[in-house]
Amino acid sequence: MQTVRSRVLLGLLLIGFYLTLLPFVVHGVGMIGIGLSAAAAQQSHLFADGQPVGNLAMVLHICAGTVLVALVPLQLLKGVRRTFTGFHRQLGRVLVALALFTGLAGMTYIPLRGTIGGSVMSAAFFLYGLCLFTAALMVARMALNKDRAGHWAWGLRLFWLALGSWLYRVHYTIWYLLTGGLGSEPDFSGPFDLVQNFAFYVPYLMAVQLWITRKQRAHTGALPTRP
Ligand code: HEM
């Protein structure tokens, strides 16, 4: 009974996730189209005339990032992981490659073009890219070393980091629905914007860390006490 209920809940969560992801994917595909068009710079601030490296980095970034967000929830499904081990491994390789690519392309773009929100946003997003890149490398390393605990912990971090871009939009959507955009400015200089530069990944990483520590303690028994 419990399993049926949790499966239904998981199914609803997935449906909710993909429904909210849809507008984001449509936007991403639209931006790729703009990026590949001859008049890209006239249509979006993300692209500039005479900046082929930055423009290409952004197009590749959006391509890889969008596929990454769409696929990453599948990797955490216990049923899929246990029944289709081969699929889990293949998808894992694809996700690691996509995460490395997304992070690298973003970190190439930032020093070349900056971000719409200025230096704080650039620093925060660069750090986000670094976290995603590191987590992807560590997941792969732990899998190669057959370190199951390490692979699980880095996999969880990578999962939440991969969802970061979607969470960023979810935070903004909820905030605008609740407050009409209080503390948010078109140039992303408002107090809400400044907090959001970090709030879409730092608190999630901290929560994941607490969860990992709790699970590890439960697994290894009580912490050693003082003699
Ligand atoms: C994880 C999946 C990710 C997806 C799906 C994604 C997707 C996107 C999309 C669709 C845009 C265009 C936004 C617009 O139209 O204004 C964008 C912009 C951008 N992304 Fe990502 N991204 C992801 C991860 C990252 C990471 C890890 C970094 C950090 C290196 C990053 C850095 C940036 C930057 C700097 C911009 C330009 C911001 C601006 O100045 O407007 N993204 N991304």
Side-chain angles (χ1 to χ4, degrees), residues 152-153 156-157 205-221 223:
W152 169 77
L156 271 186
R157 292 183 189 112
L205 279 183
M206 287 164 70
V208 164
Q209 193 52 46
L210 284 177
W211 176 258
I212 291 169
T213 310
R214 225 185 89 183
K215 286 280 178 188
Q216 281 170 346
R217 277 188 190 159
H219 195 250
T220 51
L223 281 178

Side-chain angles (χ1 to χ4, degrees), residues 19-211:
L19 282 178
T20 54
L21 188 68
L22 205 60
F24 181 35
V25 171
V26 171
H27 174 75
V29 172
M31 295 313 292
I32 294 165
I34 290 176
L36 295 175
S37 73
Q42 284 73 53
Q43 297 179 70
S44 168
H45 72 277
L46 293 172
F47 308 104
D49 289 327
Q51 299 262 354
V53 179
N55 294 349
L56 183 68
M58 184 43 70
V59 169
L60 294 176
H61 169 78
I62 299 176
C63 286
T66 307
V67 182
L68 173 68
V69 186
L71 291 182
V72 80
L74 303 179
Q75 196 67 342
L76 237 68
L77 297 177
K78 213 186 266 178
V80 175
R81 210 165 56 231
R82 288 197 179 150
T83 321
F84 307 104
T85 321
F87 175 76
H88 176 77
R89 288 206 184 118
Q90 293 299 339
L91 183 59
R93 288 187 188 111
V94 171
L95 290 173
V96 165
L98 287 168
L100 292 175
F101 221 70
T102 306
L104 206 57
M107 287 188 286
T108 305
Y109 179 88
I110 294 169
L112 288 173
R113 299 288 321 281
T115 56
I116 192 165
S119 53
V120 179
M121 188 185 200
S122 296
F125 276 49
F126 195 91
L127 183 64
Y128 170 50
L130 208 56
C131 289
L132 185 77
F133 192 85
T134 308
L137 279 185
M138 290 305 287
V139 166
R141 190 176 162 202
M142 295 294 152
L144 287 174
N145 288 351
K146 304 212 184 312
D147 180 341
R148 285 185 70 130
H151 181 65
W152 169 77
W154 281 103
L156 271 186
R157 292 183 189 112
L158 180 61
F159 173 78
W160 285 101
L161 285 164
L163 288 188
S165 184
W166 169 77
L167 287 165
Y168 183 80
R169 271 100 185 157
V170 170
H171 287 189
Y172 267 94
T173 307
I174 294 173
W175 187 252
Y176 268 76
L177 286 174
L178 291 177
T179 71
L182 184 73
S184 178
E185 300 294 335
D187 64 354
F188 292 79
S189 63
F192 178 77
D193 305 310
L194 293 177
V195 171
Q196 278 313 303
N197 285 332
F198 298 93
F200 69 100
Y201 67 101
V202 175
Y204 295 94
L205 279 183
M206 287 164 70
V208 164
Q209 193 52 46
L210 284 177
W211 176 258

